[in-house]
Amino acid sequence: MAVTTQHLVTFVTAYAEVIAANRAYLIDLDAAIGDADHGENLDRGMKAAMAELADAPDEVAPAEVLRRVATALVSKVGGAAGPLYGTAFLRASGALRGKPALDAPDVVAAIEAGLGGVVARGKAVAGDKTMVDAWEPAARAAEQAVSAGTPLAGALAAAADAAEEGMRATIPLVARKGRASYLGERSAGHQDPGATSTAMLFRAMADVAARGTGGRGPAEPAGQA
């Protein structure tokens, strides 16, 4: 499966829709251990990203799609979500520069570049109870699947499953980064909102890839019953 500009636009659209549908859920998660603004901020940012893409020329490179998303997130989103997601999309864009279409290793490279951006910006590692706890296992799962010869749709499904497992694994953790870290031991027992929105991102990515290859349609949003 060659990933085109249109696939990326479809993915960004799908993620924007998932975030809009789960805005209140993400707010509730963040209210327990943060500023209660994660859902509101990310929803605003993804709406701005869609506006950026609507103004783009018909034929832009995949890297430009991600760059426009990054620009919208950094300029329109407050709190931690804007800088973190914006840096992730910007690093992913840089990994794809000059490519008119993407193969599976290109997609893995973009995912890993995004993770590098999140780690560099947030200074977090796995186990800190942040979005890294979902993004890192997703990147590892995607790389291992592609290296084993798994088609891209299957590799992204594995990445989404790993992200959701990482998301759930944040529940017992004590936060060591961000606003949640101020709560100390009281942050344990709550699912991290950033890890949750990250799991939603990978599930949206997997669903778009699955539809592109005749697979199943969208799954239930990560974290929701």
Side-chain angles (χ1 to χ4, degrees):
M1 174 186 178
V3 176
T4 65
T5 292
Q6 187 53 53
H7 284 119
L8 289 184
V9 172
T10 301
F11 152 62
V12 174
T13 302
Y15 186 51
E17 291 172 351
V18 168
I19 292 300
N22 287 276
R23 173 182 167 277
Y25 174 61
L26 292 170
I27 288 172
D28 287 346
L29 288 178
D30 199 29
I33 57 174
D35 292 335
D37 61 358
H38 188 67
E40 176 67 28
N41 286 343
L42 197 50
D43 183 41
R44 182 170 63 253
M46 291 310 300
K47 284 182 168 61
M50 292 307 302
E52 281 282 340
L53 294 181
D55 290 339
D58 290 338
E59 296 298 329
V60 297
E64 177 63 10
V65 172
L66 300 185
R67 189 196 69 78
R68 284 174 176 261
V69 173
T71 298
L73 291 171
V74 170
S75 63
K76 300 295 185 182
V77 181
L84 288 170
Y85 275 109
T87 301
F89 275 95
L90 189 61
R91 291 283 189 93
S93 171
L96 303 179
R97 192 171 294 118
K99 295 180 179 291
L102 316 176
D103 59 15
D106 291 331
V107 174
V108 169
I111 290 170
E112 291 178 338
L115 172 61
V118 170
V119 170
R121 186 79 188 206
K123 310 300 183 187
V125 297
D128 282 347
K129 199 183 182 87
T130 71
M131 61 195 292
V132 174
D133 289 297
W135 201 302
E136 184 174 271
R140 185 168 59 248
E143 192 281 328
Q144 290 173 347
V146 168
S147 293
T150 304
L152 181 58
L156 291 177
D161 290 344
E164 289 169 3
E165 184 177 348
M167 170 195 77
R168 290 188 290 270
T170 65
I171 295 172
L173 295 178
V174 173
R176 297 197 292 255
K177 292 289 182 179
R179 177 71 64 175
S181 66
Y182 300 167
L183 298 177
E185 296 289 337
R186 288 178 294 158
S187 64
H190 300 281
Q191 186 168 295
D192 182 68
T196 304
S197 60
T198 296
M200 291 174 179
L201 181 146
F202 280 97
R203 184 57 66 189
M205 198 184 305
D207 286 340
V208 169
R211 291 198 300 272
T213 56
R216 63 182 176 81
E220 288 295 319
Q224 293 280 50

PDB file of all heavy atoms in Angstrom, residues 61 69 134 186 218:
ATOM      1  N   ALA A  61       2.794  17.745  -1.208  1.00  0.00           N
ATOM      2  CA  ALA A  61       3.499  16.536  -0.802  1.00  0.00           C
ATOM      3  C   ALA A  61       3.020  16.073   0.568  1.00  0.00           C
ATOM      4  O   ALA A  61       2.512  16.872   1.365  1.00  0.00           O
ATOM      5  CB  ALA A  61       5.004  16.805  -0.770  1.00  0.00           C
ATOM      6  N   VAL A  69      -0.389  20.679   9.620  1.00  0.00           N
ATOM      7  CA  VAL A  69      -0.999  20.261  10.882  1.00  0.00           C
ATOM      8  C   VAL A  69      -0.162  20.759  12.056  1.00  0.00           C
ATOM      9  O   VAL A  69      -0.692  21.290  13.039  1.00  0.00           O
ATOM     10  CB  VAL A  69      -1.151  18.728  10.928  1.00  0.00           C
ATOM     11  CG1 VAL A  69      -1.635  18.279  12.309  1.00  0.00           C
ATOM     12  CG2 VAL A  69      -2.126  18.249   9.858  1.00  0.00           C
ATOM     13  N   ALA A 134       2.163   5.714  25.361  1.00  0.00           N
ATOM     14  CA  ALA A 134       1.404   5.131  24.250  1.00  0.00           C
ATOM     15  C   ALA A 134       2.200   5.184  22.956  1.00  0.00           C
ATOM     16  O   ALA A 134       2.173   4.240  22.160  1.00  0.00           O
ATOM     17  CB  ALA A 134       0.071   5.865  24.077  1.00  0.00           C
ATOM     18  N   ARG A 186      -1.250  10.742  44.341  1.00  0.00           N
ATOM     19  CA  ARG A 186      -2.681  10.867  44.018  1.00  0.00           C
ATOM     20  C   ARG A 186      -2.946  10.775  42.519  1.00  0.00           C
ATOM     21  O   ARG A 186      -4.089  10.617  42.099  1.00  0.00           O
ATOM     22  CB  ARG A 186      -3.231  12.185  44.558  1.00  0.00           C
ATOM     23  CG  ARG A 186      -3.374  12.233  46.074  1.00  0.00           C
ATOM     24  CD  ARG A 186      -3.887  13.583  46.513  1.00  0.00           C
ATOM     25  NE  ARG A 186      -2.915  14.638  46.236  1.00  0.00           N
ATOM     26  CZ  ARG A 186      -3.232  15.934  46.108  1.00  0.00           C
ATOM     27  NH1 ARG A 186      -4.488  16.321  46.196  1.00  0.00           N
ATOM     28  NH2 ARG A 186      -2.280  16.824  45.879  1.00  0.00           N
ATOM     29  N   PRO A 218     -13.947   1.877  11.069  1.00  0.00           N
ATOM     30  CA  PRO A 218     -13.423   2.443  12.308  1.00  0.00           C
ATOM     31  C   PRO A 218     -13.773   1.630  13.529  1.00  0.00           C
ATOM     32  O   PRO A 218     -14.865   1.078  13.648  1.00  0.00           O
ATOM     33  CB  PRO A 218     -14.086   3.828  12.354  1.00  0.00           C
ATOM     34  CG  PRO A 218     -14.445   4.117  10.937  1.00  0.00           C
ATOM     35  CD  PRO A 218     -14.797   2.810  10.325  1.00  0.00           C
TER      36      PRO A 218
END
